Amino acid sequence: MTADKRLTPREQDFAAWYNEVVLRAELADYSPVRGSMVIRPWGFGIWERMQAALDQMFKDTGHENAYFPLLIPQSFIEKEAEHIEGFKPELAVVTHAGGRDLEEPLVIRPTSETIIYSMYAKWVQSYRDLPILLNQWANVMRWELRTRLFLRTAEFLWQEGHTAHATADEAQEETLRILGVYRDFMEQWVAMPVVTGLKTDSERFAGAVRTYSLEALMQDNRALQAGTSHFLGQNFSRQFDLKFQSVEGREEYAWNTSWGVSTRMVGGLVMTHGDDDGIVVPPRLAPTQVVVVPIVKGGDARAEAIHRKAEELRAILADQGVRAKVDRRSHLSPGAKFYEWERKGVPFRMELGPRDLDKEQVVLVRRIPLEDGRKKEFLSQPHAVATLPDRLESLQRDLFRRATVRREENSYRGVSEWDEMTEILETRGGFVYTGWSGDPTVEERAKDEMKATIRAIPSEEFRSTPAPTTCIGGGRASKMEVVWARAY
RNA sequence: CGGGACGUAGCGCAGUCCGGUAGCGCACCUGAAUGGGGUUCAGGGGGUCGCGGGUUCAAAUCCCGCCGUCCCGACCA
């Protein structure tokens, strides 16, 4: 085995490991366009599973899908003052089309609030037309100065939900409902624990009244904002004249929410579960859950029998709803296949060779070890096949448990001294819980001194007991607990 | 946009100082053997040397200009 076949270990250079694993697990590749990437079938397969799960959850909570255009009149983006302030620097604008300069430039959507609410204004007259609960799956573009595969690309895929309600309470309830949906999704599908909470003003979405987010801790102990849900108040409805007549006959502006998660989640998955051998895909998201590797010798008369048995096992697994595949490629040695599928993070490998055929067994290998440290098990064929659905679910749970333990080990509560926070964030990293007076200058100072930000004002269940009493900035009393980290 | 580095085969690089037939490793193709953790041997294909101009008998190499990429900072799902 030569050195260049291995990945740079995470311990040595996490950023290099991340890039290599994304490229070599064939999740994505660089494209000819600066900052834009190609999502390859293995990466897109994972995204498709994420989409399918989320889509179902949205529908189960009463939402419908629709589609709005890619191009937005520039004047729309400019209507909401904070919104344009926040997005102006990263807009890509079409000024020329059909061989002529356009009368009004068209912005390639960085997000779709403006065009969507302008349409809602057309569709809503009465409280009877509310709520509107729509979602769209789309691509958006933000001209970032520095990009990273999946984590920050100029163009990315996401879903954006946009709702309109008759009352503030109802919109607020929707904002939190989606926060819960996202949390379930991240825990149960991505197996990625998250801290939910409210953003401070400095990190709030441009144009929102309140932004809630879900923050995950990556293996290098930097935070990743995995999703956001915004309560927009009437900021956009006022600008786009999204009005309705209430039961009482009054004309009122609607209350909006918007929320999204993106292909960034794939990066989160990689940095949450990956190891020095490659990525580890949670079984529920894995395009292939079990790869059957037949081990056949060129001159062996049993070669055909082995392939037949492999196919038979695959078919039985498929009947049980397990996504299995037989790797019949003859130009690769078994070892080469093992490494390849491990790099791609397939949850289980099933080896089937002449010896197994004789004993009617298989060698089942788990992508990460069982609790007792074993990876390989020799199992009778019927038993292996029958237990695989349970084994997949068990691996799914183990991944979540392992990630949660890691996050807790790297979370620091009750930190009250500035120097202590500095020491943690500049060496180990992680989530640091402290008290905060609400003074934004404390945030600025942390950003300047240690490149750290308040990731969230945590939701109740994530708060510490006892609650902090003093502000981390020194002197003053704490008004709320906050979570600090260096972030992606 | 400021500071630094680099553009030579799909990938990673040597060759550039000191001009003289474009090379190495991996990958790829063919054949044979091999096959339970990255298989071996033999043969083979593939390059406008980032682009444009200049100097020269002769330029990957020297000179001028441009373009692009990556890293470090300022902006960010």
Side-chain angles (χ1 to χ4, degrees):
Chain A
M1 174 160 50
T2 52
D4 65 324
K5 288 185 171 174
R6 264 175 275 160
L7 298 165
T8 299
R10 290 162 297 170
E11 196 62 30
Q12 185 186 318
D13 185 344
F14 193 82
W17 168 83
Y18 177 80
N19 278 327
E20 283 173 31
V21 81
V22 166
L23 294 171
R24 296 192 49 206
E26 297 181 354
L27 297 177
D29 201 356
Y30 294 105
S31 85
V33 180
R34 189 205 75 98
S36 299
M37 66 173 180
V38 176
I39 305 177
R40 302 183 67 179
W42 188 248
F44 203 78
I46 293 170
W47 174 241
E48 281 179 313
R49 301 270 155 208
M50 290 180 170
Q51 279 187 298
L54 280 168
D55 202 62
Q56 191 57 54
M57 292 168 105
F58 297 150
K59 285 171 180 160
D60 289 345
T61 45
H63 303 83
E64 294 180 293
N65 285 330
Y67 185 78
F68 295 83
L70 171 71
L71 299 174
I72 300 177
Q74 189 163 50
S75 58
F76 280 36
I77 299 277
E78 287 168 352
K79 278 195 177 177
E80 213 286 331
E82 267 194 31
H83 194 61
I84 183 60
E85 182 70 22
F87 282 106
K88 185 114 201 182
E90 35 186 86
L91 293 180
V93 185
V94 179
T95 57
H96 197 85
R100 308 185 322 194
D101 284 339
L102 295 173
E103 225 158 273
E104 178 180 0
L106 298 172
V107 169
I108 299 175
R109 62 182 164 216
T111 179
S112 303
E113 276 77 6
T114 56
I115 195 156
I116 289 180
Y117 300 134
S118 76
M119 294 308 296
Y120 285 8
K122 196 171 164 185
W123 300 336
V124 172
Q125 275 81 43
S126 147
Y127 70 92
R128 292 195 174 92
D129 299 321
L130 297 173
I132 301 184
L133 306 172
L134 297 187
N135 174 66
Q136 80 166 348
W137 291 96
N139 56 341
V140 289
M141 177 158 271
R142 300 181 187 177
W143 210 259
E144 303 287 356
L145 295 180
R146 249 176 100 183
T147 58
R148 297 195 63 189
L149 294 168
F150 286 110
L151 301 174
R152 178 166 295 108
T153 46
E155 179 186 357
F156 57 95
L157 306 183
W158 76 346
Q159 58 68 218
E160 48 180 324
H162 294 275
T163 68
H165 307 262
T167 67
D169 282 353
E170 198 185 303
Q172 172 67 17
E173 195 182 314
E174 167 76 1
T175 310
L176 293 177
R177 177 181 304 116
I178 293 300
L179 189 69
V181 164
Y182 283 163
R183 181 179 174 187
D184 285 349
F185 168 71
M186 288 169 199
E187 293 183 349
Q188 291 171 28
W189 292 79
V190 192
M192 182 172 75
V194 288
V195 173
T196 61
L198 188 63
K199 285 292 191 185
T200 63
D201 285 353
S202 68
E203 297 273 319
R204 206 183 55 223
F205 173 73
V209 172
R210 280 189 288 278
T211 289
Y212 295 87
S213 84
L214 302 97
E215 301 285 329
L217 192 64
M218 303 294 101
Q219 288 187 64
D220 60 348
N221 284 332
R222 287 173 70 185
L224 184 76
Q225 179 174 301
T228 46
S229 184
H230 314 291
F231 173 76
L232 302 173
Q234 295 172 314
N235 289 352
F236 287 91
S237 63
R238 286 179 191 278
Q239 297 311 318
F240 289 92
D241 231 20
L242 171 46
K243 291 182 294 200
F244 67 98
Q245 205 167 7
S246 69
V247 191
E248 296 82 15
R250 285 195 306 269
E251 188 172 71
E252 294 179 15
Y253 289 106
W255 300 81
N256 297 116
T257 81
S258 70
W259 27 274
V261 303
S262 73
T263 36
R264 172 180 254 199
M265 196 81 61
V266 177
L269 182 157
V270 170
M271 291 194 292
T272 297
H273 302 300
D275 61 25
D276 291 345
D277 296 323
I279 69 169
V280 180
V281 188
R284 290 188 184 175
L285 295 175
T288 298
Q289 295 170 309
V290 181
V291 62
V292 182
V293 180
I295 292 149
V296 294
K297 299 183 200 302
D300 195 322
R302 286 172 298 182
E304 199 36 52
I306 290 170
H307 279 124
R308 256 204 316 278
K309 177 58 78 176
E311 177 51 32
E312 185 187 317
L313 294 173
R314 188 207 59 78
I316 300 169
L317 286 168
D319 285 344
Q320 298 182 158
V322 175
R323 295 184 289 276
K325 158 186 179 106
V326 181
D327 186 351
R328 294 192 60 148
R329 292 174 297 175
S330 60
H331 65 290
L332 293 179
S333 71
K337 292 179 185 176
F338 298 167
Y339 280 105
E340 179 177 328
W341 292 114
E342 275 167 14
R343 198 179 312 122
K344 289 185 158 186
V346 171
F348 283 93
R349 172 177 85 234
M350 196 180 264
E351 301 173 22
L352 183 72
R355 294 204 291 274
D356 305 308
L357 202 64
D358 295 342
K359 297 185 201 165
E360 294 186 338
Q361 66 168 26
V362 294
V363 181
L364 190 68
V365 185
R366 204 178 192 245
R367 178 58 180 79
I368 64 165
L370 288 157
E371 300 267 315
D372 59 13
R374 280 180 307 148
K375 279 174 85 173
K376 275 194 188 189
E377 291 185 279
F378 299 82
L379 304 169
S380 81
Q381 290 165 6
H383 184 247
V385 165
T387 56
L388 257 165
D390 285 346
R391 289 169 186 273
L392 288 164
E393 277 303 299
S394 162
L395 175 55
Q396 178 84 30
R397 285 193 302 273
D398 283 356
L399 286 173
F400 180 62
R401 197 176 308 131
R402 192 172 75 152
T404 306
V405 167
R406 205 197 65 241
R407 190 209 39 205
E408 289 309 305
E409 284 171 354
N410 292 285
S411 294
Y412 302 88
R413 292 178 183 271
V415 173
S416 57
E417 298 301 323
W418 188 262
D419 288 348
E420 186 186 357
M421 176 161 93
T422 305
E423 197 272 327
I424 293 168
L425 291 176
E426 288 192 341
T427 56
R428 291 156 278 172
F431 281 153
V432 177
Y433 290 72
T434 77
W436 185 46
S437 62
D439 179 358
T441 64
V442 176
E443 284 180 285
E444 284 162 31
R445 193 177 143 210
K447 196 165 186 177
D448 290 345
E449 289 183 17
M450 58 191 99
K451 293 181 189 168
T453 48
I454 294 178
R455 301 319 302 158
I457 300 158
S459 309
E460 194 166 357
E461 72 163 284
F462 296 101
R463 289 179 207 152
S464 311
T465 40
T469 54
T470 60
C471 175
I472 189 71
R476 278 169 295 187
S478 168
K479 283 196 187 137
M480 64 199 94
E481 185 172 27
V482 293
V483 188
W484 300 83
R486 283 185 175 171
Y488 273 95

